[in-house]
Amino acid sequence: MNPSVSLAHGAESSPLGKPADYCDTYTPGLLFPIARQIKRDEIGIVPGKLPFVGEDLWNAYELSWLNPRGKPVVALATFRVPADSPRLIESKSLKLYLNSCNQTRFDSVDAVRATFAHDLSVAAGADVAVEIQPLGAGPVRVIAPPPGESLDELDIDIDTYQPCPDFLSAAGGGDEVSETLHSHLLKSNCLVTGQPDWGCIVVRYTGPAIDRAGLLRYIVSFRKHNEFHEQCVERVFCDILQRCRPRQLAVWARYTRRGGLDINPFRSTGQLRAPDNRAEIRQ
């Protein structure tokens, strides 16, 4: 079956691709959770036996509420959704939820954080860590290039724009290598609307040397693929793990923001830690 076509994906009733009236009073019911296992079944992940650990790191840039006297507060926020949560949260629904706080009074920043942590944890089915930084406190957003070596200058022909794991291979025998590779050429499309999603992807591993040309062809093969950010990263992780057999593996992507949110999934075999929350230049 074409991996871009699915009879069911869990987002059929989400607000994606539909007109939405913006509600500016606190409404937690706007959050739309989606079962992760629906798409994990496609890539052979057995329920309860995840081949990875990790998280989905969200950065929110359009966040505001009212203090007890009715004065607006503006802030940045980060949300960390564990990869082993049974549900992900659809991004447009999160945007609508955050906007529902615009005309809502909260006693303090801590009250906002606790409210978000409760609502997002209920939606995801696991504890979601929340950090809120009011702009008055002077938060600093660090922009840095991705780690490792770029694959993007490889002089290769490419003619495949649907995921093709057959491109992936690693050297047989020989010594292990430990390296970090990245590409800015990741593009996929929204699972529901088909709108383009742009990102930078990083692969860090220890094991037989992965063929770089094949890895770049594989990354570019997502160019016409319809899937959510989290699902794309899990597909990449599982394909590399199966085809290249690294002893240690971490895959993460930093997607450009949409609707005031960027999503940055991270998946690892467990030995490699999550990267710092440093923005990619397009974020």
Side-chain angles (χ1 to χ4, degrees):
M1 183 181 71
N2 186 326
S4 291
V5 178
S6 178
L7 296 178
H9 47 63
E12 293 85 356
S13 300
S14 79
L16 275 170
K18 301 171 186 175
D21 294 328
Y22 282 90
C23 173
D24 61 7
T25 54
Y26 170 64
T27 309
L30 291 169
L31 291 170
F32 190 92
I34 298 172
R36 294 185 189 268
Q37 193 59 44
I38 296 173
K39 294 294 287 184
R40 286 174 174 174
D41 286 342
E42 290 186 10
I43 54 178
I45 296 178
V46 177
K49 296 183 178 180
L50 294 180
F52 47 68
V53 297
E55 66 180 11
D56 303 326
L57 169 63
W58 298 64
N59 292 296
Y61 304 91
E62 300 174 8
L63 176 59
S64 185
W65 65 90
L66 303 179
N67 74 8
R69 299 179 63 186
K71 182 181 177 181
V73 182
V74 289
L76 303 177
T78 60
F79 312 123
R80 296 179 181 270
V81 184
D84 61 358
S85 64
R87 298 180 292 275
L88 59 84
I89 300 171
E90 190 278 310
S91 60
K92 184 176 179 180
S93 79
L94 179 55
K95 174 187 176 181
L96 295 172
Y97 165 76
L98 295 178
N99 277 318
S100 79
C101 296
N102 290 347
Q103 290 300 119
T104 301
R105 299 189 184 207
F106 289 91
D107 289 337
S108 64
V109 174
D110 283 343
V112 177
R113 186 205 60 76
T115 298
F116 288 176
H118 172 268
D119 294 343
L120 296 175
S121 297
V122 169
D127 289 341
V128 175
V130 176
E131 180 182 356
I132 296 178
Q133 299 175 309
L135 292 190
V140 176
R141 192 77 174 100
V142 177
I143 298 176
E149 298 180 61
S150 173
L151 299 171
D152 296 346
E153 303 309 313
L154 292 174
D155 186 17
I156 59 175
D157 294 326
I158 297 178
D159 61 4
T160 301
Y161 305 106
Q162 291 287 358
C164 184
D166 290 344
F167 288 141
L168 295 169
S169 65
D175 297 330
E176 286 189 338
V177 300
S178 294
E179 60 181 359
T180 302
L181 307 171
H182 70 258
S183 174
H184 294 282
L185 303 186
L186 176 64
K187 173 192 170 289
S188 54
N189 303 312
C190 173
L191 179 62
V192 176
T193 67
Q195 293 296 306
D197 294 320
W198 307 92
C200 173
I201 191 165
V202 181
V203 175
R204 177 174 290 166
Y205 73 97
T206 297
I210 294 175
D211 177 71
R212 294 187 177 191
L215 178 58
L216 183 59
R217 287 190 176 96
Y218 172 73
I219 291 169
V220 174
S221 75
F222 279 74
R223 195 167 179 86
K224 297 184 70 175
H225 179 63
N226 296 348
E227 209 163 38
F228 290 142
H229 305 345
E230 302 94 330
Q231 297 160 348
C232 285
V233 169
E234 291 185 1
R235 188 178 294 273
V236 172
F237 180 95
C238 289
D239 284 345
I240 293 176
L241 194 65
Q242 180 180 11
R243 299 288 177 134
C244 302
R245 302 293 180 183
R247 183 166 54 85
Q248 300 178 2
L249 175 65
V251 176
W252 67 93
R254 301 200 67 93
Y255 281 89
T256 57
R257 75 180 74 172
R258 177 183 289 181
L261 297 164
D262 66 48
I263 308 173
N264 309 278
F266 170 81
R267 302 292 184 268
S268 168
T269 50
Q271 306 91 342
L272 303 172
R273 68 178 182 86
D276 295 334
N277 187 19
R278 298 185 178 187
E280 201 263 333
I281 187 64
R282 292 179 293 174
Q283 293 182 311

